[in-house]
Amino acid sequence: MRISELSAASGVPIPTIKYYLREGMLPAGEQISATRARYGEDHLRRLRLIRALLEVGRLSIASIAKVTAAVDDESLNMHRVLGTAQYAMAPAVEPHASGEEWARARTEADAMIADLGWQVDPEAPARDELAQAVLTLGRLGMPADGEALRPYADAALRLVTEHEIGTIPLDGPREAAVEAMVLGTVVHGRVLDIMRRLAHESVSARVFGTSRPT
């Protein structure tokens, strides 16, 4: 297909496609003349992935470029490719000014992961996210050790093992697997948060009464 047809099929404007080509995020098309190139399903798939990373994952162009580079790197196995996308979506967590307090929270987070027996890279951004949660809970006087947070870990592992990991297609293009992981991580995360809030309302109504909230 020509670039105009690729644009129509993907919904991505031609100038944006040309930008992705210049940045190396989209592979060059098959050159059929000095000024024309032919594009195929691989390009359409890559544009869908970029769109998912941009619109759902909320990634910057620089982060998307890292993810697409990982997809194109055949020396990386699927775990590393998916990890690149997962890490790119993680929010930045800055250590607190109180280095000692932050260090204790990070140590507690690392201990929780070790006790669970989970295989998590030492540099995984989610370790700092968990440390941030531990620190916040502690400052609010709420339980923040492994025992208190274990039900959340168990629920997360069950959801990922029994439901989410199976939605990632591993027998097709790597773009499709990364796209499914990004969409699943973000959207399933939202669903989990929504269902928790609905459950809170339902249980509260049963325990405290059913007066309508104002």
Side-chain angles (χ1 to χ4, degrees), residues 111-123:
M112 287 184 205
I113 295 169
D115 289 343
L116 290 165
W118 289 1
Q119 299 179 56
V120 179
D121 191 280
E123 301 302 318

Side-chain angles (χ1 to χ4, degrees), residues 30-47:
E30 178 188 358
Q31 207 69 34
I32 56 177
S33 74
T35 58
R36 292 177 61 191
R38 181 185 293 121
Y39 302 91
E41 288 299 316
D42 290 348
H43 296 90
L44 195 55
R45 244 189 327 263
R46 176 57 60 86
L47 288 174

Side-chain angles (χ1 to χ4, degrees), residues 109-187:
D110 289 341
M112 287 184 205
I113 295 169
D115 289 343
L116 290 165
W118 289 1
Q119 299 179 56
V120 179
D121 191 280
E123 301 302 318
R127 288 181 180 268
D128 281 344
E129 291 183 77
L130 181 57
Q132 176 76 72
V134 168
L135 186 60
T136 301
L137 287 169
R139 286 177 169 176
L140 293 172
M142 301 174 70
D145 58 10
E147 182 179 357
L149 300 184
R150 184 64 184 249
Y152 298 93
D154 290 343
L157 183 62
R158 186 173 64 255
L159 284 170
V160 171
T161 302
E162 298 178 5
H163 301 284
E164 295 183 14
I165 202 71
T167 66
I168 300 176
L170 300 177
D171 56 351
R174 284 148 69 107
E175 281 95 343
V178 176
E179 181 183 12
M181 188 279 294
V182 170
L183 294 174
T185 297
V186 175
V187 178

Side-chain angles (χ1 to χ4, degrees), residues 66-84:
K66 290 180 182 178
V67 175
T68 56
V71 171
D72 291 334
D73 187 349
E74 294 294 336
S75 70
L76 298 179
N77 62 27
M78 186 54 69
H79 175 65
R80 301 304 300 180
V81 174
L82 294 176
T84 300

Side-chain angles (χ1 to χ4, degrees), residues 1-29 39 43-44 46-48 50:
M1 70 184 86
R2 294 173 299 177
I3 194 169
S4 58
E5 295 170 318
L6 179 62
S7 175
S10 65
V12 179
I14 292 176
T16 304
I17 292 176
K18 290 182 176 179
Y19 173 74
Y20 293 157
L21 287 165
R22 288 196 304 271
E23 294 298 311
M25 297 159 61
L26 184 68
Y39 302 91
H43 296 90
L44 195 55
R46 176 57 60 86
L47 288 174
R48 283 200 300 263
I50 293 172

